[in-house]
Amino acid sequence: MIETEYQNNVLTAYIRGEIDHDSAAKIRSRVDGMAQELKPHTLRLDFGGVSFMDSSGVGLVMGRYRQMKLLGGALQVTNYSDNIYRIFAMSGLEGLGVLR
Amino acid sequence: MKTVNEMKLSFPGKSCNEAFARSAVAAFVMNLDPTVSELSDLKTAVSEAVTNCIVHGYRRQSGTVFLNGKIDENGKVTLRIRDKGCGIADVAQAMQPLFTTAADEERAGLGFAVMQSFCDRVRVTSAPGKGTTVTLEKQIGGDD
Ligand SMILES: Nc1ncnc2c1ncn2[C@@H]1O[C@H](COP(=O)(O)OP(=O)(O)O)[C@@H](O)[C@H]1O
Ligand SMILES: [Mg+2]
């Protein structure tokens, strides 16, 4: 469901498949576990492999944003499709400056 | 309008059934030959409604989620998603974008907003202690 890569203090999580309430919980615990251990200066969530997302994905992004703030790092969200962007745009996520 | 196809499903309110409900609805509407975006809109709206039954309706109890579908002769799809859970005291407030009673669980409060933006019509009826019914309508293809 996710693959991760850690390089130059950047932790990238390549999310694959569908993001809903069920899978978001699993992705969250994986990503938070790694972020707590590695304390990267940037956590990058790569949505390139995401085939479906509902509003649970917004909660996932918002939650990681807060988590990275606590850890003193930043969040980036990359490679999302137009469909996914439509849902991000409804949420005020754009104001956080995390969408690339 | 004449109904040309119908389906009724019920399943336990477990989060693994969110994906099942989306796939079932996708299969149900497949012979209307929906566009990729029509299909994605419908799957997203259903996912929101079913997740709400599981996350909110059956928060303090286990229960069954009911999903009924209808297709009329013009290609209008009507989906009814129902739970017998806790219900909603103030539906208008619940439907406001960003309103959530589960912020600590990383809910974004956008479920109803997504349903409304991805469907032609959304109706919600609810009674505290009795449960919630959400009816989604979406036209697939031009209506002719
Ligand atoms: N089936 C339901 N049963 C009980 N309460 C519900 C139901 N669906 C929605 N609600 C209430 O409406 C609120 C808003 O729902 P929604 O827009 O989907 O946002 P979210 O699920 O992110 O909280 C929920 O937080 C909950 O209080
Ligand atoms: Mg919801």
Side-chain angles (χ1 to χ4, degrees):
Chain A
M1 191 171 354
I2 66 172
E3 260 169 57
T4 54
E5 184 182 274
Y6 184 55
Q7 227 175 49
N8 303 326
N9 234 336
V10 177
L11 173 63
T12 306
Y14 298 92
I15 307 173
R16 303 206 197 293
E18 306 197 315
I19 303 181
D20 62 10
H21 154 255
D22 190 32
S23 67
K26 295 165 190 158
I27 296 167
R28 177 195 341 172
S29 73
R30 252 311 277 295
V31 171
D32 283 1
M34 291 198 69
Q36 272 153 20
E37 189 189 309
L38 298 166
K39 300 206 170 35
H41 79 58
T42 302
L43 168 65
R44 189 177 292 146
L45 299 178
D46 186 305
F47 278 69
V50 176
S51 55
F52 171 89
M53 188 189 89
D54 66 18
S55 69
S56 306
V58 173
L60 181 70
V61 171
M62 295 277 199
R64 301 305 59 73
Y65 174 77
R66 272 183 239 116
Q67 173 75 12
M68 285 312 292
K69 272 212 138 156
L70 286 176
L71 294 174
L75 176 71
Q76 284 179 7
V77 177
T78 58
N79 273 325
Y80 40 86
S81 66
D82 290 348
N83 263 335
I84 291 174
Y85 177 74
R86 260 175 89 194
I87 297 177
F88 285 157
M90 297 172 73
S91 66
L93 249 182
E94 277 171 304
L96 299 182
V98 299
L99 299 183
R100 286 302 124 92
Chain B
M1 211 50 70
K2 217 175 107 199
T3 298
V4 294
N5 201 8
E6 277 184 275
M7 63 113 167
K8 287 192 165 111
L9 280 177
S10 60
F11 46 85
K14 297 182 177 184
S15 57
C16 63
N17 284 326
E18 293 155 7
F20 166 68
R22 294 194 294 275
S23 308
V25 166
F28 178 60
V29 302
M30 210 42 101
N31 67 347
L32 293 172
D33 200 16
T35 64
V36 172
S37 101
E38 286 170 338
L39 195 59
S40 152
D41 288 0
L42 211 49
K43 284 174 73 176
T44 311
V46 168
S47 193
E48 297 292 353
V50 168
T51 300
N52 280 352
C53 300
I54 295 169
V55 172
H56 304 296
Y58 293 133
R59 163 169 304 268
R60 281 184 199 83
Q61 69 208 92
S62 53
T64 303
V65 178
F66 302 88
L67 169 55
N68 293 2
K70 244 188 225 180
I71 298 172
D72 81 7
E73 57 188 346
N74 280 344
K76 187 180 84 182
V77 176
T78 304
L79 300 169
R80 207 177 69 186
I81 299 99
R82 187 162 60 94
D83 67 66
K84 294 182 176 174
C86 67
I88 304 172
D90 184 343
V91 171
Q93 180 190 47
M95 292 181 81
Q96 302 259 323
L98 305 179
F99 177 86
T100 182
T101 50
D104 52 333
E105 289 160 45
E106 302 197 342
R107 306 309 308 157
L110 288 173
F112 283 123
V114 165
M115 290 182 240
Q116 282 175 317
S117 113
F118 289 15
C119 295
D120 301 326
R121 189 166 176 213
V122 179
R123 276 171 291 166
V124 181
T125 56
S126 191
K130 294 232 167 76
T132 301
T133 302
V134 172
T135 308
L136 308 172
E137 285 180 16
K138 188 172 179 66
Q139 176 68 41
I140 301 296
D143 86 86
D144 43 38

